[in-house]
Amino acid sequence: MILKFLYLEWKAFTRSASFGTNLALKIILGFVSVLYTGIFLMAGIGAFYGLQQMHLDPLQEVNKYLIYYFLLDLGIRLLLQKIPVMNIRPLLSLPFTRPTIVNFSIGKTMLSFFNFLHVFFFLPFSIVLLVEGYDVLSVMLWHLAMAALVYSNNFLNIILTNKDNVFTIFLAAVVIIAGFQYYHYFNITDYTSVFFDGLFHTRWMFLFPVLALLGLYYYTFTYLKINLYLDAGLSTKHEIAKTEDLTWLNQFGTLGTFLKNDIKLIKRNKRSRTTVVMSILFLFYGFIFFRENSGQPEIMRIFAGIFVSGGFLFTFGQFVPSWDSSYYPLMMSQNISYKGYLSSKWWLIVIATFISTILSSFYLIYGWQVYLTIVVGAIYNIGVNSHLVLLGGAFTKTPIDLQSTKGAFGDKKAFNTSAMLLSLPKLLLPILLYWAGSSILNFNLGLAFVAIAGVLGFAFRDKVFSKIEKIYKTEKYKTIDAYKQKS
Amino acid sequence: MIQVQNLSKSYNGTTVLKIDSLEIPKGQSFGLVGNNGAGKTTFFSLLLDLIQPSTGHIINNEVQVNTSENWKPFTASFLDESFLIGYLTPEEYFYFIGDLRGQNKADIDALLAKHEEFFNGEILKNKKYLRDLSKGNQKKVGIIATLIGNPEVIILDEPFANLDPTTVSRLKKIIKELAENPNVTVLVSSHDLQHTVEVCSRIVALNKGEVVKDIQTSAETLQELEMFFAV
């Protein structure tokens, strides 16, 4: 039975339209995975001796911060770990039992890299503990408890992904807890470290996480099983629709028509909504780099400058024209010229970048220099990156399923690892320019270089646009064909 | 109005459509019939430049469709659900198409009022997005949207499929009305010989991508076609 599922999975993987690009991305992802595996491995082995040298009790110290380790893990999972999507509908009427279908879905998540990664930390750490003469049974039970917690996070991710706004609430909670600890109001580790220490010292306490894991598994299992009906988890929620005219946009002519449409696109589809919320988080990215004593190299400031105003560009713009994939043939046969279509998307990106730049004026508390970096980043985003994003779009042939009819089983994660990887090239050039300028004279020249690149891009806009338009035209037929395939 | 020359489309060596020459004069109501895989949708997709011809080309009102985009202003089409924008309400969709075709809100409202009967109270002011409508109702929206802005060429792929009997007869009325207008060329494809014969003044039958019959509709047409498709 399982073999049949695996057969379907393999076919789905090799026959998807985006197989080529996916494979390239998967190879890059493979490298990233190996890198992180290495880091975790080093941490697992090194943590004990490192902490010992600092005259701290390694186990106690690790236990103290495990709460943040697991919270961070959950956060990263909520953001990046995909819930495996299976094409479940056609399976329902076939002779598969429902529990088999659910268990296979769950099983797929358990094989995720996000679970195995932790083995590379906990296994060497536990081995070092054994080598250093800690009690064998205690170490084993502690290790078992850790594994149970890792998998609990796996299930929490499945359960929470199907709830709205969880990530935002989660992030807020973590920030508040960490903030309280940082300013010594309330130290959560005082309480949680007792628990984690207990897992080691008290023989029966490992039962807590194991039972929690079993409970979560059972909950996930019943949740998914209940939802395995066409009118439950596999259905679309019918929202009550309200017609909106947005007449104030009429004054912009054709551009207004498209903007109206894009605003509705963003408002009415969960996937695009999450994307925009993500782009707001980008605004605060600068706090990592612009803080005094941030310990970050000066060169990285331009990186932050570009990120702060470019949130929308990176999260939404990256997927133009995939947002329109479900009705692409309409766009291609309606009374729309390619130029009009592209420039409306371009304007949307420009407007969003502009608004982000205004909103980020709170960085002025760090001084003019910092805000200038952000403004220069915005100029570069408008002049160069907006075009790069559209250019990349011509080759992005992954349809976006806005309607997501799969309900509880659907993939709703808007911001994924591949999106992040795609944004890297857009950051390298400005960093190079900034570096060149600042090594010739000073950081201001670096900023000037980046700004000039942006202004040049803006000046040659028409030229660049007609080039991009040509590429879209030649790619048009392939794109229409690829969008016909539903994931 | 529409000239087809040496048109063919093949995928990996298999020819799915081959029309050496076909001329559709202005004002004609043109019916395309054939079995599954006969090439009906392929022909319409070529006409809308959604796929590339392997050889030859189509000229729509003196515009060669695969080289210029100038056929778009006077051509309206509805092939399938990918011509609908799921997250809009029907009204918003009509206004959107209206905006693209240079029609104001009042024009659209007038058109919608005229076709209220066709909608049968299931489309407008129903607080539903297009994605939540049934297949039949989606089709109603798509068909009426092609009438926006008085296009000269209207292309409908399988308009009768998925519709209930009442709506089918109303749709026939609409297409007949369009057919009477000497400025409007209507192209309809269907599996249903009877419906097509009723609304079209000319029927072309496709089989395995080739034109096998080309007849002006008369009293005997239906019988002739039924004979042809019977095994």
Side-chain angles (χ1 to χ4, degrees):
Chain A
M1 191 94 82
I2 294 294
L3 278 176
K4 288 263 180 277
F5 279 126
L6 291 174
Y7 170 80
L8 287 178
E9 285 298 320
W10 177 246
K11 292 286 179 218
F13 173 67
T14 52
R15 291 185 182 171
S16 82
S18 48
F19 179 60
T21 47
N22 265 356
L23 197 68
L25 273 173
K26 288 208 157 85
I27 290 169
I28 300 175
L29 277 178
F31 278 122
V32 176
S33 309
V34 169
L35 180 73
Y36 272 93
T37 309
I39 293 172
F40 269 68
L41 204 60
M42 302 275 280
I45 301 168
F48 187 91
Y49 299 108
L51 289 167
Q52 210 169 35
Q53 273 186 353
M54 291 159 75
H55 304 289
L56 291 163
D57 180 352
L59 182 65
Q60 218 167 28
E61 206 60 18
V62 166
N63 277 339
K64 190 172 165 191
Y65 289 105
L66 272 178
I67 179 72
Y68 285 114
Y69 182 89
F70 284 113
L71 282 178
L72 193 71
D73 174 49
L74 186 57
I76 290 171
R77 281 169 190 269
L78 282 172
L79 204 57
L80 296 176
Q81 189 184 3
K82 283 191 181 178
I83 303 299
V85 187
M86 275 223 302
N87 202 355
I88 283 169
R89 271 164 190 262
L91 300 179
L92 288 179
S93 53
L94 292 173
F96 291 115
T97 60
R98 280 168 189 272
T100 317
I101 298 175
V102 171
N103 274 328
F104 187 77
S105 290
I106 293 178
K108 240 181 109 177
T109 67
M110 300 192 48
L111 293 176
S112 164
F113 174 72
F114 288 92
N115 294 321
F116 284 113
L117 185 61
H118 300 286
V119 173
F120 293 101
F121 175 73
F122 285 116
L123 197 64
F125 188 74
S126 298
I127 291 171
V128 170
L129 286 182
L130 291 177
V131 170
E132 294 296 319
Y134 281 73
D135 178 52
V136 178
L137 187 62
S138 294
V139 171
M140 301 266 267
L141 291 178
W142 181 82
H143 191 82
L144 182 68
M146 291 306 121
L149 285 171
V150 167
Y151 275 102
S152 297
N153 266 355
N154 184 56
F155 288 118
L156 278 176
N157 177 42
I158 299 178
I159 298 165
L160 295 178
T161 302
N162 289 305
K163 308 244 186 294
D164 279 318
N165 298 326
V166 162
F167 184 71
T168 331
I169 297 168
F170 176 81
L171 197 73
V174 172
V175 166
I176 289 170
I177 294 173
F180 275 5
Q181 176 153 19
Y182 187 78
Y183 291 105
H184 304 290
Y185 287 122
F186 167 77
N187 193 344
I188 191 168
T189 56
D190 288 348
Y191 301 91
T192 54
S193 64
V194 176
F195 171 73
F196 287 111
D197 276 337
L199 290 177
F200 187 85
H201 296 294
T202 318
R203 288 280 156 85
W204 50 268
M205 259 185 73
F206 78 95
L207 282 171
F208 282 128
V210 171
L211 287 176
L213 174 67
L214 289 176
L216 282 168
Y217 164 74
Y218 184 72
Y219 181 85
T220 315
F221 179 80
T222 39
Y223 172 79
L224 290 180
K225 197 168 157 235
I226 288 167
N227 278 297
L228 206 60
Y229 286 91
L230 292 186
D231 57 354
L234 297 172
S235 78
T236 352
K237 269 187 226 157
H238 286 219
E239 294 162 62
I240 294 177
K242 208 171 123 256
T243 299
E244 288 163 294
D245 287 334
L246 304 171
T247 35
W248 55 276
L249 282 167
N250 285 346
Q251 51 188 314
F252 299 107
T254 324
L255 178 63
T257 306
F258 285 114
L259 286 181
K260 263 191 236 178
N261 218 14
D262 284 329
I263 289 172
K264 286 170 191 162
L265 168 88
I266 291 167
K267 267 176 77 175
R268 293 180 185 173
N269 298 292
K270 186 177 172 183
R271 178 136 183 200
S272 43
R273 265 202 311 268
T274 335
T275 305
V276 173
V277 171
M278 280 303 306
S279 75
I280 293 169
L281 288 180
F282 273 65
L283 275 181
F284 303 100
Y285 195 75
F287 282 120
I288 302 176
F289 291 96
F290 295 138
R291 264 184 312 122
E292 275 159 59
N293 319 321
S294 65
Q296 300 288 345
E298 190 76 7
I299 198 89
M300 294 310 274
R301 288 179 153 231
I302 191 67
F303 179 82
I306 280 171
F307 248 52
V308 167
S309 64
F312 187 80
L313 183 133
F314 285 116
T315 56
F316 187 88
Q318 199 94 258
F319 293 105
V320 169
S322 288
W323 296 110
D324 296 321
S325 61
S326 62
Y327 47 90
Y328 207 59
L330 171 83
M331 294 310 222
M332 291 302 106
S333 60
Q334 261 306 334
N335 189 20
I336 307 165
S337 68
Y338 246 114
K339 202 158 193 178
Y341 174 74
L342 288 176
S343 69
S344 76
K345 296 289 177 202
W346 185 81
W347 272 106
L348 190 70
I349 293 170
V350 168
I351 292 168
T353 310
F354 191 72
I355 293 173
S356 312
T357 315
I358 303 285
L359 287 179
S360 60
S361 55
F362 57 80
Y363 281 108
L364 277 170
I365 52 168
Y366 291 126
W368 275 105
Q369 185 70 28
V370 162
Y371 192 59
L372 193 67
T373 313
I374 291 169
V375 172
V376 165
I379 293 171
Y380 187 83
N381 277 332
I382 290 174
V384 179
N385 276 344
S386 64
H387 296 128
L388 282 181
V389 155
L390 289 180
L391 183 68
F395 302 100
T396 313
K397 295 197 175 66
T398 327
I400 291 184
D401 185 12
L402 284 172
Q403 299 171 238
S404 190
T405 45
K406 293 173 211 113
F409 292 85
D411 173 23
K412 299 193 196 70
K413 305 265 164 102
F415 191 74
N416 51 36
T417 338
S418 47
M420 259 167 54
L421 286 173
L422 279 172
S423 30
L424 283 176
K426 299 181 182 87
L427 297 163
L428 288 178
L429 184 63
I431 290 178
L432 274 177
L433 285 171
Y434 188 68
W435 171 78
S438 46
S439 38
I440 292 170
L441 192 66
N442 58 16
F443 291 117
N444 282 333
L445 188 70
L447 282 182
F449 274 10
V450 177
I452 287 167
V455 171
L456 278 178
F458 191 77
F460 289 108
R461 186 160 66 96
D462 285 337
K463 273 233 167 81
V464 175
F465 251 92
S466 52
K467 279 258 183 308
I468 294 178
E469 196 188 338
K470 256 192 211 132
I471 294 169
Y472 267 84
K473 269 188 186 156
T474 46
E475 292 292 313
K476 168 180 168 181
Y477 306 100
K478 276 189 207 160
T479 311
I480 292 174
D481 192 46
Y483 284 169
K484 265 193 208 147
Q485 305 195 23
K486 300 267 146 58
S487 50
Chain B
M1 193 75 190
I2 294 168
Q3 284 104 27
V4 179
Q5 273 144 16
N6 293 326
L7 187 72
S8 78
K9 177 72 189 173
S10 42
Y11 291 101
N12 306 323
T14 319
T15 308
V16 293
L17 188 74
K18 187 169 172 7
I19 301 177
D20 292 330
S21 151
L22 184 73
E23 166 113 25
I24 304 170
K26 190 172 186 153
Q28 191 167 61
S29 53
F30 177 91
L32 197 60
V33 295
N35 292 327
N36 288 332
K40 303 186 295 291
T41 309
T42 309
F43 177 62
F44 283 172
S45 302
L46 284 165
L47 192 50
L48 294 169
D49 194 34
L50 296 175
I51 53 179
Q52 261 178 319
S54 305
T55 66
H57 58 259
I58 302 178
I59 292 171
N60 183 356
N61 199 13
E62 283 153 27
V63 181
Q64 188 176 330
V65 295
N66 58 336
T67 51
S68 161
E69 291 186 74
N70 293 333
W71 52 272
K72 288 179 177 176
F74 56 83
T75 311
S77 54
F78 181 68
L79 299 194
D80 54 32
E81 307 91 73
S82 68
F83 282 64
L84 297 173
I85 303 178
Y87 53 83
L88 296 184
T89 64
E91 286 93 338
E92 286 168 345
Y93 178 70
F94 290 126
Y95 295 139
F96 175 68
I97 303 288
D99 276 346
L100 296 177
R101 300 197 153 268
Q103 302 282 297
N104 62 30
K105 197 164 177 281
D107 299 332
I108 307 293
D109 287 337
L111 183 83
L112 296 184
K114 191 181 153 200
H115 293 291
E116 225 177 325
E117 189 194 50
F118 182 69
F119 290 143
N120 203 21
E122 288 160 330
I123 310 290
L124 301 176
K125 299 194 184 87
N126 246 339
K127 296 188 177 168
K128 272 188 182 172
Y129 294 126
L130 284 176
R131 61 184 173 210
D132 298 334
L133 294 179
S134 70
K135 281 250 190 294
N137 282 335
Q138 287 183 344
K139 194 149 231 171
K140 289 185 202 172
V141 173
I143 290 170
I144 296 302
T146 60
L147 308 180
I148 291 170
N150 307 313
E152 291 171 54
V153 178
I154 298 176
I155 300 164
L156 300 171
D157 191 20
E158 299 281 358
F160 301 112
N162 279 329
L163 292 184
D164 59 76
T166 314
T167 316
V168 166
S169 78
R170 285 173 181 159
L171 175 61
K172 281 194 224 165
K173 217 174 91 191
I174 292 174
I175 298 179
K176 276 183 200 162
E177 253 179 55
L178 290 170
E180 278 163 26
N181 185 338
N183 292 321
V184 178
T185 314
V186 195
L187 288 85
V188 172
S189 79
S190 183
H191 291 133
D192 193 311
L193 302 173
Q194 195 180 347
H195 294 327
T196 325
V197 170
E198 255 181 77
V199 297
C200 295
S201 58
R202 177 186 177 190
I203 310 269
V204 162
L206 284 179
N207 192 30
K208 294 182 178 157
E210 295 193 37
V211 176
V212 285
K213 283 225 175 275
D214 188 346
I215 27 183
Q216 300 294 322
T217 319
S218 67
E220 296 81 40
T221 309
L222 182 60
Q223 220 186 354
E224 194 185 333
L225 286 169
E226 274 174 349
M227 287 287 287
F228 178 79
F229 283 106
V231 234

